[in-house]
Structures are given as C-alpha cells and as structure tokens.
C-alpha cells in the first residue's frame, strides 16, 4: 500500500540505505559456497531423481568413452598391407560402437527427461518460497521497492537459475566424467603424449579463474539493472493515462532510454567478458591438439605407437579438451545464474513481519473502543511523522480525519492496522494492547476500503465475496444493492458471473470503487476504515452510499479519511491534522465556530467549486 502522506518509494529506499532497516538481515553478500549450499537444499529433496540422474550420467558417458578405443582397434584391424584387413574384427568393432552409442543415446534421453522433471519441481518450490515470503513481508518492504523489480526476481531470476540447473550443472557433471575417463584412456594408450596437457590444462584453468572473478560482478550488475528497468516500465505502463494527459511521453521515453541503455550496457559487458572465455580456452585446446598430432607422428615414425592408437588418442584428446572448453563457456553462464540466485535468496531471506508476542491472544468480541495514547512514529529513523498523538474513539462512533496532504492521515490507519509499529506510545482496542493480540485477529476486526481499489481477475461475484468465503449469492446481491452497483452488474452479459480483467481494467474507476465498497459491506467486522473510499464516485451517489453505510455500520466504529469535507459533516468527531499533530478536533459545527484550520479548509474547497 502506498501512503499519500509524504511516503515516496524513492525517499523510503534512500532512508533504508542511509540509516539501515533495523529488521533487515546483515547485508553481507553471499559467496558461491553459500549459493550452492542453498541450491543443494532444494536438490536434496529429490534424492531418488538425483541418484537416477547420476547413474545415467555415468553410464552414458562411459559408453561414449569406449567409442574411440573401438575405433582405434577397427583401424588396426584394417592392416597396413593390401587385402590384409580383418573384416570380421572390423564388423565386430563397428557393431559394438553402434550398440554403445545407441545405449548412450537412450540413457542421455532419459537423463534429459529426468532433469526436466527435477528442474520443474525445484522451480515450483523456489517460486512458492518466494511468493510465500512476499505474503509474509511487512508493508514497508513493498513501500521501499518497485513492483517490477520484485516481479523480475520471480520471473527472470528464477528462470535463469532453472536454465542453469537443467543445463549447466548437468553439463559440468558430464564434463568431469568425460575428462577423467579420457585421461585414463590416454594414459593407457600413450602416457608420454599426456605430458602435452601438463602445460595447456593449467593455462586454461588459470585463465578461467581470472575471467570468472571479473565476470561475476558484471552479471550481478546486469540482474540489478534489468530489475530497475522492469520496475520503471511497470510504473510507466500503469500510469500511461497520466503520462498522456500531461503530454510527458517524450520525457518518459528519454527516461526509459537511460534505463534501457544502462541495462544494455550492463548486459553487453557481462556477455562480452563471458563470451571471451570459450574462444580463448578453445584456442588453448587447439594448440594442445596440434602438439598431440606432432608428437604422435614422431612416436609413430619411431615405431613406439600404432596408427590406431594415434587415432584413438586424438579422439580422446578432443573428448578431453572439448569438455574443458564447454565448461569454460558454462562458467560464464553460471555467473549469471549465481547472481540471479543471489537475488532470489536475498528476497527469501528477508525478515517477515515481527512475530506475534509469545503471550499474544485472539482479539474477540470486539466492541470497537479504540484508544491511541501519546503516539510517536516515523517511517525513517530521525524523521518523525506523528508526534505525541492521542485519540479516543468510542464504540459506534464515526471519526473523520482531515487535513492537508502530508499531515499524517493515512499514517494513522497504517498504525491502527499494524502495517507499521509505533516508535513510542500505545494503541488499545477495548482495553487490549494491540501488540499483545495476534495480527490476524486485529486486522479481521477491521473492514478496509482504500482509494486505490484492488480487484483481481475473476467473476464479479468472486471479487465482492473475497473477504467472506461462505458468502451466498443473496448476500452478495444485497451488498451490491446497498453499494448502488447492482443495476450496473445486471446490465452486464453474465451479470454476477461476468469475468473482469486483471485489476478491473475493463470497467470504470468509479465502478471498481463501488465493487470494493460492496465487498466491505459484506463483512461483519466491528470496525470500518474508509480511506477516501468514495473519491471516484459522483456527489449524489456518494451521498446515497454514505447514508447506506451509516445505516450498515450502526454501532460500529468507523474511521474515515477524507479530503472532500462535505462527506464528513455528520461525523461524531473530526480530527484536523497538520504536520503529524492534531491541531483541532470536534464536530463540524464546533470546528466552524473556532475559525481555525478546518474552517479555512472547508471554505477553500467551496471556493474551488
């Protein structure tokens, strides 16, 4: 929920960065071992699949490793003299190669199927963990971050981890087996030739380590810049009407170009250095292959090795060098995966809302007697919004909170609902300290209607009945009639079964607000919060809704935030806030007689009209 009382995302974020969120984890950046350990936490839940995958990896690669050896024997069976070929032996080796390679193919196919199933389960678990954590994070987390950046973690970053798990880690396992197996075979054929790799392999490893250290920060920066670009795009798309109304298209395009350029620059740098690794290691491996060919020819001329063994050794050397080259390429991709995983785990590790107190009890049989005593609060350390604020709302009373923008009106609601906790002071309901009752029971004691309406993709019936699982059609219709939205619903093709699009974009803003008011009317909570809940309906409809809601909320405590003062004239008590303090309070007539801020605000509105 975004506060309109001076709470801006960018300022909040700067405040957290400058002063440090007291509930935030230590900002120590996780290393590779930590990330791998966290990934293993997901992998070990599927030990059977992993065991089968390991068996298939080993079996498939060992069968492939016999291919060059059989090929060398087949070449030796051809013989050096005309008509000296042993066709029976050649046929046997060819058939064995076909069988071995065929079995290897089948096992590789089964391995791919297994890995798809494994990554599907892991990604499902990871996304579930992320979304579960999002549902338990405090409101301050969302106030300080862009929605697009959070969505980028759920989609792009987890997809990047998925691609790495399904391809890169598997390829590394294959490479290890192939490299070790090829080395063993080469040692059996010609140990002397293996000395060639004593120089080339360390060179490849040292170069890979150097590039890896250079590339990983670049991939981390790439993930961050892509998240920032997504967040900006989400904000601009959701506010496109305002952008066009103010003819700010060119400025938005320029700002997006800057974000896009930064993202492209970060992407280009990471890919550039990441792509250097593969060709460079491949060049080193080609040098080793050339050396093997030269020294192998010398050994053959001296009768120390056969032509078939040379052929097999060359094939094994390619199998030995190829995976090293592929692994070098994969390490570049792994840096992207590590950076993505770092962002995912950082979100998962965010601390949720403070747990309920150990002795917290359920808030039951609420009468609606609300008391705030000497409240002091600020969103950021060192910046106080509410100062020494006190309020008493007796059961069944209507409390209106008015004042200029930034006075702290919505902040009061945030504190009542425990979206934020006070720095000093106390809040009680029916004499119960709200910090000694469970949050769930506290929030269920309120029904809340905000100016920023929220609807989800589903039927109108489902949206109105959202807060009451067992709501009947009769109850929903009755609530819609009181909210004066029933006639509109009945004009729709499927009535209450009409599906509205995401956030209700296929209906007007006023109609969306009436639907959320109908949703609130369906609840039987003893207290009601209206935060500019009728700002998007016409004056006549608003007056009818006020009458209906006044009747509906009889004997229930109501808190109404209003900028349009004509809507709160009949309130039992009106609080006039300025700079976080209540400067006036009383009924409409009493405040008009005081000739103070309320009177000034009241007449200034009618002058506008």
């Amino acid at each position: 929920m975004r506060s309109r009382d001076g709470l801006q995302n960018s300022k909040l974020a700067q405040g957290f960065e400058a002063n440090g969120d007291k509930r935030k984890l230590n900002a120590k950046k996780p290393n590779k071992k930590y990330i791998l350990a966290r990934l293993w936490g997901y992998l070990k839940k599927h030990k059977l699949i992993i065991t089968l995958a390991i068996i298939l990896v080993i079996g498939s690669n060992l069968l492939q490793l016999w291919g060059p050896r059989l090929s060398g024997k087949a070449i030796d069976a051809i013989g050096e003299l005309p008509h000296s070929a042993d066709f029976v032996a050649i046929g046997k080796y060819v058939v064995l190669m076909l069988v071995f390679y065929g079995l290897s193919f089948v096992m590789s196919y089964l391995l791919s199927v297994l890995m798809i199933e494994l990554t599907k389960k892991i990604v499902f678990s990871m996304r579930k963990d992320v979304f579960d954590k999002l549902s338990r994070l405090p409101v301050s987390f969302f106030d300080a971050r862009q929605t697009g950046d959070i969505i980028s973690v759920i989609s792009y970053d987890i997809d990047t981890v998925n691609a790495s798990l399904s391809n890169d880690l598997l390829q590394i396992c294959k490479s290890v087996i192939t490299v070790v197996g090829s080395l063993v075979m080469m040692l059996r054929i010609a140990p002397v030739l293996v000395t060639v790799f004593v120089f080339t392999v360390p060179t490849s490893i040292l170069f890979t380590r150097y590039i890896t250290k250079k590339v990983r920060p670049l991939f981390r920066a790439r993930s961050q810049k892509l998240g920032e670009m997504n967040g900006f795009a989400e904000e601009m798309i959701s506010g496109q009407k305002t952008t066009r109304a103010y003819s700010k298209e060119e400025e938005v395009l320029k700002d997006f170009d800057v974000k896009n350029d930064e993202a492209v620059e970060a992407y280009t740098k990471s890919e550039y250095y990441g792509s250097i690794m593969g060709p460079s290691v491949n060049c080193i491996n080609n040098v080793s292959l050339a050396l093997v060919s030269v020294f192998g020819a010398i050994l053959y001329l001296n009768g120390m090795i056969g032509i078939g063994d040379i052929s097999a050794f060359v094939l094994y050397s390619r199998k030995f060098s190829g995976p090293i080259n592929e692994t070098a390429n994969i390490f570049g991709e792994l840096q992207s995966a590590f950076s993505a995983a770092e962002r995912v785990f950082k979100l998962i590790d965010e601390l949720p809302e403070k747990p309920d107190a150990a002795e917290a009890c359920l808030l039951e049989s609420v009468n609606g007697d609300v008391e705030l005593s000497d409240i002091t609060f600020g969103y950021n350390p060192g910046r106080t919004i509410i100062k020494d604020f006190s309020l008493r709302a007796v059961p069944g009373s209507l409390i209106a909170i008015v004042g200029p923008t930034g006075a702290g009106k919505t902040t009061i609601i945030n504190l009542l609902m425990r979206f934020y906790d006070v720095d000093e002071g106390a809040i009680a309901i029916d004499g119960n300290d709200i910090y000694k009752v469970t949050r769930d029971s506290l929030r269920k004691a309120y029904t809340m209607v905000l100016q920023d309406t929220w609807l989800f993709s589903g039927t109108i019936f489902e949206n109105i009945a959202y807060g009451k699982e067992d709501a009947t059609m009769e109850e929903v219709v009755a609530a819609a009639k009181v909210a004066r939205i029933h006639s509109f619903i009945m004009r729709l093709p499927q009535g209450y079964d009409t599906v509205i699009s995401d956030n209700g974009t296929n209906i007007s803003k006023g109609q969306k607000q009436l639907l959320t008011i109908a949703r609130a009317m369906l609840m039987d909570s003893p207290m009601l919060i209206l935060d500019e809940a009728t700002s998007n309906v016409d004056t006549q409809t608003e007056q009818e809704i006020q009458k209906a809601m006044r009747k509906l909320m009889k004997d229930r405590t109501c808190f109404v935030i209003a900028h349009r003062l004509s809507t709160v004239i009949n309130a039992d008590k009106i609080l006039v806030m300025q700079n976080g303090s209540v400067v006036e309070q009383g009924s409409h007539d009493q405040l008009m007689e005081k000739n103070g801020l309320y009177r000034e605000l009241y007449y200034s509105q009618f002058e506008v009209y």
Side-chain angles (χ1 to χ4, degrees):
M1 183 180 67
R2 295 175 184 267
S3 168
R4 299 188 308 278
D5 294 315
L7 177 59
Q8 300 295 331
N9 284 347
S10 58
K11 293 181 180 179
L12 233 181
Q14 292 169 4
F16 285 149
E17 291 171 3
N19 301 291
D21 187 350
K22 290 179 287 186
R23 294 180 29 74
K24 201 176 178 82
L25 288 175
N26 191 348
K28 182 180 179 180
K29 292 182 179 179
N31 55 29
K32 292 180 183 178
K33 291 182 179 179
Y34 170 81
I35 294 172
L36 288 172
R38 293 295 296 270
L39 289 173
W40 173 245
Y42 287 94
L43 288 167
K44 68 182 182 181
K45 298 176 184 177
H46 310 284
K47 293 180 179 177
L48 178 60
I49 296 179
I50 292 174
T51 302
L52 291 174
I54 291 173
I55 293 172
L56 290 172
V57 167
I58 295 173
S60 173
N61 282 273
L62 288 179
L63 287 170
Q64 286 189 25
L65 284 171
W66 277 105
R69 189 62 173 164
L70 293 171
S71 175
K73 288 184 176 295
I75 291 173
D76 285 337
I78 294 175
E80 299 182 8
L81 300 175
H83 311 296
S84 63
D86 185 349
F87 290 105
V88 175
I90 294 171
K92 182 181 72 172
Y93 293 133
V94 170
V95 170
L96 284 174
M97 279 193 290
L98 290 174
V99 171
F100 283 12
Y101 282 130
L103 289 174
S104 177
F105 167 76
V106 172
M107 296 177 79
S108 295
Y109 172 76
L110 293 175
L111 178 62
S112 299
V113 173
L114 271 180
M115 291 306 296
I116 291 172
E117 183 66 20
L118 177 63
T119 53
K120 180 183 74 174
K121 292 178 180 294
I122 291 174
V123 169
F124 175 83
S125 298
M126 194 174 288
R127 280 212 174 98
K128 185 178 185 301
D129 288 347
V130 169
F131 206 80
D132 286 349
K133 176 52 68 77
L134 288 173
S135 69
R136 293 183 288 113
L137 288 174
V139 171
S140 58
F141 174 87
F142 300 96
D143 282 338
R145 289 161 180 81
Q146 293 177 309
T147 302
D149 190 34
I150 297 173
I151 293 174
S152 180
V153 174
I154 300 175
S155 56
Y156 169 76
D157 289 327
I158 291 182
D159 282 341
T160 301
V161 176
N162 174 32
S164 182
L165 287 175
S166 59
N167 299 316
D168 299 340
L169 292 181
L170 178 61
Q171 189 59 48
I172 288 176
C173 293
K174 289 180 178 180
S175 297
V176 170
I177 296 171
T178 301
V179 168
V180 173
S182 299
L183 180 61
V184 171
M185 288 296 196
M186 287 190 295
L187 287 171
R188 290 182 61 186
I189 294 171
V192 177
L193 286 178
V194 177
T195 56
V196 169
F197 299 103
V198 172
F199 303 100
T200 57
V201 171
T203 303
S204 298
I205 293 173
L206 291 173
F207 180 78
T208 301
R209 289 188 62 184
Y210 167 75
I211 293 296
T212 297
K213 289 181 180 179
K214 192 174 184 67
V215 164
R216 190 182 175 200
L218 297 177
F219 277 105
R220 185 186 295 120
R222 184 180 80 170
S223 294
Q224 179 183 346
K225 292 301 180 181
L226 286 173
E228 291 176 1
M229 184 186 70
N230 289 338
F232 180 83
E234 187 271 337
E235 285 188 349
M236 293 305 105
I237 291 173
S238 62
Q240 60 172 316
K241 290 183 180 178
T242 303
T243 300
R244 296 183 180 183
Y246 285 90
S247 300
K248 294 290 184 179
E249 293 92 338
E250 291 300 322
E251 291 184 24
V252 169
L253 288 173
K254 289 178 182 178
D255 291 341
F256 180 78
D257 285 343
V258 173
K259 297 286 185 183
N260 191 19
D261 186 61
E262 290 176 351
V264 169
E265 182 69 19
Y267 188 93
T268 302
K269 279 186 178 180
S270 61
E271 289 298 321
Y272 172 76
Y273 286 103
S275 62
I276 284 176
M277 194 179 301
S280 300
V281 173
N282 190 39
C283 178
I284 297 171
N285 291 335
N286 286 335
V287 171
S288 67
L289 182 60
L291 292 174
V292 166
S293 300
V294 171
F295 290 116
I298 294 172
L299 292 176
Y300 173 73
L301 292 174
N302 287 279
M304 298 173 64
I305 191 173
I307 191 69
D309 286 339
I310 291 179
S311 173
F313 193 96
V314 169
L315 291 175
Y316 280 123
S317 69
R318 293 193 67 85
K319 281 186 171 293
F320 180 80
S321 303
I324 294 177
N325 181 39
E326 291 174 1
T327 303
N329 285 319
I330 290 170
F331 269 112
E333 297 174 6
L334 282 177
Q335 303 317 303
S336 176
F338 282 140
S339 297
E342 183 179 321
R343 279 164 53 86
V344 172
F345 294 137
K346 184 178 179 182
L347 194 155
I348 292 176
D349 289 340
E350 288 283 347
L351 288 176
E353 282 187 312
K354 291 180 181 178
D356 294 326
E359 69 278 7
C361 58
L362 293 176
L363 185 62
E364 298 177 317
S365 303
V366 178
N367 294 319
D369 188 345
V370 181
E371 185 172 5
L372 293 83
S373 305
D374 302 320
I375 295 299
T376 297
F377 171 76
Y379 288 107
N380 296 323
R383 182 174 175 234
T384 301
I385 302 295
I386 303 294
K387 301 182 291 292
D388 300 323
F389 173 75
S390 296
L391 167 68
R392 173 75 185 281
V394 299
S397 61
L398 173 59
I399 307 298
I401 307 173
V402 302
T405 299
K409 301 184 296 298
T410 299
T411 301
I412 297 297
I413 303 305
N414 287 339
L415 299 177
L416 288 173
M417 295 287 287
R418 281 202 67 188
F419 291 147
Y420 289 85
D421 292 339
V422 298
D423 296 328
E424 297 177 12
I427 302 176
I429 296 178
D430 297 343
N432 298 299
D433 187 341
I434 66 170
Y435 297 101
K436 295 182 179 179
V437 300
T438 63
R439 275 193 182 84
D440 188 57
S441 62
L442 169 67
R443 290 170 182 171
K444 284 183 177 178
Y446 290 96
T447 295
M448 195 170 186
V449 182
L450 304 175
Q451 179 183 16
D452 299 326
T453 57
W454 177 77
L455 299 174
F456 56 89
S457 181
T459 65
I460 287 179
F461 173 86
E462 291 169 341
N463 271 275
I464 295 177
Y466 179 73
K468 189 175 182 181
E469 295 181 2
D470 57 348
T472 64
M473 178 60 77
E474 290 74 19
E475 291 174 324
V476 170
V477 170
K481 286 181 177 178
V482 176
R484 300 181 61 86
I485 191 65
H486 174 72
S487 58
F488 164 74
I489 296 172
M490 295 308 296
R491 290 195 298 271
L492 297 174
Q494 286 82 39
Y496 284 84
D497 292 324
T498 301
V499 176
I500 57 179
S501 62
D502 181 30
N503 203 26
T505 52
N506 54 345
I507 60 178
S508 73
K509 198 167 185 178
Q511 290 160 349
K512 285 197 297 182
Q513 201 154 45
L514 290 174
L515 287 175
T516 59
I517 292 172
R519 178 194 294 165
M521 289 182 170
L522 195 61
M523 300 291 290
D524 55 359
S525 303
M527 295 180 288
L528 174 67
I529 292 175
L530 300 175
D531 188 354
E532 285 295 315
T534 57
S535 60
N536 293 314
V537 298
D538 60 84
T539 304
Q540 183 178 358
T541 302
E542 181 182 45
Q543 291 174 351
E544 294 298 324
I545 291 175
Q546 290 285 350
K547 291 178 183 178
M549 294 194 73
R550 185 63 173 166
K551 180 180 179 182
L552 182 69
M553 303 310 283
K554 185 179 181 181
D555 299 326
R556 299 182 185 182
T557 307
C558 305
F559 294 90
V560 179
I561 294 177
H563 283 99
R564 197 184 301 173
L565 300 186
S566 60
T567 64
V568 296
I569 290 176
N570 297 320
D572 297 307
K573 181 183 289 186
I574 300 174
L575 304 178
V576 185
M577 297 192 67
Q578 187 175 36
N579 299 325
S581 300
V582 176
V583 294
E584 295 175 0
Q585 58 180 304
S587 66
H588 170 73
D589 293 336
Q590 292 171 338
L591 293 174
M592 291 297 288
E593 291 176 1
K594 288 184 178 181
N595 198 26
L597 178 61
Y598 179 83
R599 182 186 178 94
E600 180 183 338
L601 291 172
Y602 186 81
Y603 280 123
S604 66
Q605 290 188 8
F606 283 96
E607 286 176 9
V608 173
Y609 300 139

